[in-house]
RNA sequence: GCGAUCGUAGCUCAGUUGGUUAGAGCGCCGGUUUGUGGUACCGGAGGUCGGGGGUUCGAGACCCCUCGAUCGCCCCA
């Protein structure tokens, strides 16, 4: 009979385990904690939408729409797409659920996104983001609050050497005037630009500004600046954002050539980027932006809604996870039976110890119960778990059993004995004895 | 979509200019040893050398195709 072949995972997907999974969870937990402090409301959204939700809002010419969406037809022949980003779907939800009634509404979510791209360091086909949006607020104070929250998430993750890069794209008119000036500027030197930038000249001229090609960078330096094209309103808006950040104690840096990839952005645009030469920059390779976003006042209109101001950001969980250092907390105690037939009793005791007993997380014991292998193996495994001490369940002729606390890896100090005794005493009549160096309790009978 | 590097036991890898039954360490299982017991010793299971085709008397090693991984470009979190 032919052996069944194991199917492979889909390219660009990942199975996360061990320290990486702990780091991933830590990022999400930290985000959840901080968003509550800022009173952002948790929301959940479908991972797929009608294709037009993304096609109309993101911009038909962007690469995301033209070649990076995971799209397919359902049985009714309708084109659906796995979400490549959060914002468009959230805007759709805002309209179809009538969330105007809550405006301005502060939303937070996280989950998987999908982009049909070649995987590389810090980039996957299924990746995960945390996301925060404020919809229905036109005030620059909304940008400030959103950025302050982002800054706090990064700081509470313990990530160092990352700076907020900030720019404004102006309002619609400012942006168009600037864009026209840029096209004119670069068209004059078109033949000397890189091949990619010659393409971009027609499709997405703003993108030339952050080209990595040296040939382009010569001309980027003296390219027209957005500041010269800002309307008075747009300038006042940006000033209000920056002075708000200063007042809030959020450090930032002006990045005149920072533009966002998607069409719908207006006014504030920002990215949190590791500083040159920092440990964070090394860890991330060429995928350096860990959090990005901006104001997208035009988006909701493009989905058929009323003109609605909004700001938001998203951050790659995998990228953040690469910058935090998390391993599993050390194990305090392993519990196992030393005599065959005492396994159920050992598990009963294990359960007493791991049950929530009203302690805070830092006081609760991490306990693992061993049941497999020969008795010798159990000792071997007990040690290799790294547990500080072992609780061994032994036979006792005149009582239920005898429980002995033994040292395994005593390089760490963590008081365990009182906690164990307390848990046991709640359910058993105890007789405490000293036996050699080890602490021993005889479990005489169960309490009623 | 483009480019570079890579793909040998569960894991990390070695396999000399192509030459007899493909190896090591770790892990796993068993035995002996060890009277706080992850040690030491002995033994065992486990590999269509990513897959397909070709060159050759002979290929894990050379060529082509394909799949996958890693890193970079485009783009982007």
């Amino acid at each position: 009979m032919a052996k069944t072949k194991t199917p492979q995972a889909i390219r660009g997907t990942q199975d996360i385990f061990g320290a990486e999974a702990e780091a991933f969870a830590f990022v999400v937990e930290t985000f959840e904690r901080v968003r509550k402090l800022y009173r952002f409301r948790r929301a959940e959204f479908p991972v797929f939408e009608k294709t037009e939700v993304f096609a109309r809002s993101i911009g038909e010419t962007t690469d995301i729409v033209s070649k990076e969406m995971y799209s397919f037809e359902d049985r009714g022949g309708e084109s659906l797409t796995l979400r490549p980003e959060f914002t468009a779907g959230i805007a759709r939800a805002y309209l179809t659920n009538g969330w105007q009634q809550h405006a301005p509404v502060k939303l937070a979510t996280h989950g998987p996104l999908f982009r049909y791209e070649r995987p590389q360091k810090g980039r996957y086909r299924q990746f995960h983001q945390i996301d925060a949006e404020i919809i229905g607020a036109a005030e620059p104070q909304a940008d400030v609050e959103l950025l302050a929250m982002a800054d706090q998430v990064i700081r509470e993750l313990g990530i160092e050497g990352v700076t907020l890069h900030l720019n404004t794209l102006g309002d619609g008119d400012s942006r168009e005037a600037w864009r026209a000036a840029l096209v004119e500027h670069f068209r004059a030197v078109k033949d000397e630009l890189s091949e990619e930038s010659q393409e971009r000249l027609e499709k997405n001229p703003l993108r030339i500004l952050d080209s990595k090609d040296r040939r382009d960078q010569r001309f980027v330096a003296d390219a027209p600046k957005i500041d010269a094209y800002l309307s008075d309103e747009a300038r006042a808006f940006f000033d209000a954002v920056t002075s708000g950040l200063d007042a809030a104690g959020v450090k930032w840096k002006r990045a005149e050539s920072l533009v966002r990839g998607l069409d719908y952005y207006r006014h504030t645009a920002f990215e949190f980027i590791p500083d040159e030469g920092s440990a964070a920059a090394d860890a991330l390779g060429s995928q350096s932006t860990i959090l990005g976003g901006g104001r997208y006042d035009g988006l909701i209109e493009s989905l058929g809604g009323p003109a609605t101001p909004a700001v938001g950001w998203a951050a790659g969980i995998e990228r953040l996870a690469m910058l935090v250092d998390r391993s599993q907390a050390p194990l305090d105690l392993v519990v196992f039976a030393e005599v065959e037939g005492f396994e159920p009793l050992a598990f009963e005791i294990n359960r007493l110890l791991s049950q929530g007993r009203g302690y805070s997380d830092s006081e609760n014991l991490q306990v693992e119960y061993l049941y497999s292998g020969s008795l010798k193996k159990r000792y071997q495994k007990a040690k290799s778990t790294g547990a500080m001490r072992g609780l061994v369940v032994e036979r006792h002729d005149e009582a239920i059993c005898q429980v002995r606390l033994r040292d395994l890896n005593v390089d760490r100090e963590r008081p365990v004995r009182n906690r164990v005794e307390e848990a046991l005493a709640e359910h058993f009549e105890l007789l405490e004895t000293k036996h050699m160096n080890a602490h021993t309790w005889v479990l005489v009978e169960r309490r009623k």
Side-chain angles (χ1 to χ4, degrees):
Chain A
M1 209 204 284
K3 201 183 155 195
T4 313
K5 256 195 240 140
T6 304
Q8 285 179 314
I10 306 296
R11 161 178 281 188
T13 61
Q14 21 168 14
D15 304 306
I16 310 173
F17 175 73
E20 287 169 35
E22 298 296 333
F24 190 105
F26 176 62
V27 170
V28 173
E29 286 159 13
T30 303
F31 173 69
E32 272 294 297
R33 187 161 45 78
V34 173
R35 70 95 185 154
K36 284 179 196 162
L37 298 176
Y38 282 75
R39 300 291 287 180
F40 277 65
R41 301 167 79 169
R42 184 65 212 243
E44 300 291 342
F45 303 96
V47 295
F48 59 157
E49 297 273 357
K50 292 185 183 181
T51 297
E52 60 186 308
V53 169
F54 306 111
R56 282 166 55 189
S57 60
I58 293 175
E60 306 279 357
T61 61
T62 59
D63 276 25
I64 290 184
V65 169
S66 56
K67 62 179 206 199
E68 290 172 7
M69 294 205 304
Y70 259 102
S71 300
F72 55 94
E73 282 191 3
D74 72 1
R75 295 185 188 185
E78 181 142 48
S79 178
L80 307 180
T81 295
L82 300 178
R83 63 186 180 194
E85 56 139 32
F86 277 114
T87 308
I90 293 175
R92 188 237 85 216
Y94 178 84
L95 292 171
T96 56
N97 294 300
W99 287 347
Q100 287 99 325
Q101 65 180 314
H102 302 300
V105 58
K106 301 194 287 184
L107 297 172
T109 191
H110 63 82
L113 289 320
F114 305 84
R115 243 116 103 163
Y116 197 92
E117 303 182 281
R118 274 303 269 281
Q120 58 183 280
K121 192 182 183 79
R123 158 188 290 187
Y124 306 93
R125 284 190 174 178
Q126 177 180 336
F127 58 105
H128 303 79
Q129 289 185 341
I130 51 179
D131 181 280
E133 315 275 348
I134 302 179
I135 303 178
E139 295 78 7
Q141 209 49 53
D143 305 45
V144 173
E145 180 180 22
L146 192 80
L147 280 164
M149 199 256 261
D151 183 67
Q152 185 160 338
V153 169
I154 288 170
R155 276 190 292 115
E156 297 214 2
L157 286 170
I159 296 172
E160 314 251 313
V162 170
T163 304
L164 166 58
H165 292 234
L166 188 67
N167 196 19
T168 178
L169 305 172
D171 48 33
D173 291 344
S174 311
R175 184 176 156 139
E176 275 320 301
W178 181 42
R179 179 191 166 107
L182 280 174
V183 171
E184 194 182 337
H185 171 79
F186 286 119
R187 186 167 284 152
V189 293
K190 179 173 180 180
D191 294 341
E192 297 176 66
L193 295 175
S194 67
E195 296 73 24
E196 283 93 13
S197 285
Q198 295 189 23
E199 288 264 329
R200 286 190 275 234
L201 192 51
E202 307 304 328
K203 266 176 30 187
N204 199 353
L206 305 200
R207 275 276 149 205
I208 300 177
L209 293 175
D210 53 13
S211 168
K212 289 171 185 167
D213 198 303
R214 284 196 178 283
R215 287 171 291 176
D216 301 329
Q217 287 169 350
R218 303 202 318 255
F219 302 108
V220 168
D222 61 341
K225 303 282 191 277
I226 177 68
D227 288 10
Y229 299 86
L230 287 180
S231 63
D232 291 345
E233 293 77 15
R235 183 182 315 280
F237 188 94
F238 189 58
D239 287 345
V241 172
T242 57
S243 59
L245 289 174
D246 291 338
V250 177
K251 293 205 177 63
W252 60 279
K253 187 170 137 189
R254 179 69 196 272
E256 284 180 319
S257 52
L258 187 154
V259 296
R260 307 253 62 229
L262 311 181
D263 285 355
Y264 53 63
Y265 284 102
R266 298 284 182 278
H267 290 292
T268 320
F270 53 86
E271 294 181 357
F272 283 78
I273 303 175
D275 303 335
E276 203 90 32
S278 66
D282 280 357
L284 288 168
S286 66
Q287 308 300 321
S288 56
T289 300
I290 56 171
L291 184 154
R295 181 162 276 279
Y296 51 93
D297 291 350
L299 169 59
I300 289 181
E301 251 179 307
S302 74
L303 288 174
T308 307
V311 238
W313 57 253
I317 298 176
E318 288 87 347
R319 291 185 190 176
L320 290 170
M322 284 191 271
L323 303 180
V324 305
D325 129 59
R326 273 296 113 154
S327 43
Q328 212 174 19
L331 185 61
D332 297 309
L333 197 60
V334 287
V335 180
F336 59 99
E338 197 189 46
V339 190
E340 219 164 314
F342 278 59
E343 288 85 0
L345 201 49
F347 183 69
E348 180 183 351
I349 290 166
N350 168 70
R351 219 170 113 67
L352 297 180
L353 293 165
S354 31
Q355 263 167 358
R357 298 172 37 73
Y359 301 120
S360 71
D361 275 358
S362 59
E363 287 172 311
N364 267 329
L365 294 180
Q366 298 218 15
V367 186
E368 189 166 329
Y369 167 59
L370 298 182
Y371 47 87
S372 64
S374 63
L375 299 180
K376 167 177 174 159
K377 279 282 165 199
R378 287 183 200 173
Y379 269 111
Q380 291 187 351
K381 276 188 184 142
K383 271 219 159 183
S384 63
T385 57
M388 190 172 66
R389 290 177 218 282
L391 198 63
V392 188
V393 179
E394 302 168 343
R395 184 193 311 282
H396 191 285
D397 290 338
E398 286 110 46
I400 299 172
C401 67
Q402 161 175 299
V403 172
R404 190 184 306 203
L405 186 63
R406 313 187 101 158
D407 291 346
L408 293 175
N409 304 288
V410 276
D411 50 327
R412 286 189 317 281
E413 273 312 311
R414 175 129 196 230
V416 160
R417 193 206 306 155
N418 292 344
R419 193 67 46 76
V420 171
E421 186 164 303
E422 197 182 334
L424 291 175
E426 233 177 83
H427 294 78
F428 296 95
E429 295 287 350
L430 294 185
L431 211 84
E432 186 180 357
T433 59
K434 290 259 188 183
H435 191 275
M436 301 171 66
N437 301 330
H439 233 84
T440 305
W441 298 273
V442 175
L443 276 51
V444 181
E445 60 181 30
R446 285 190 167 75
R447 288 187 191 282
K448 292 289 173 183

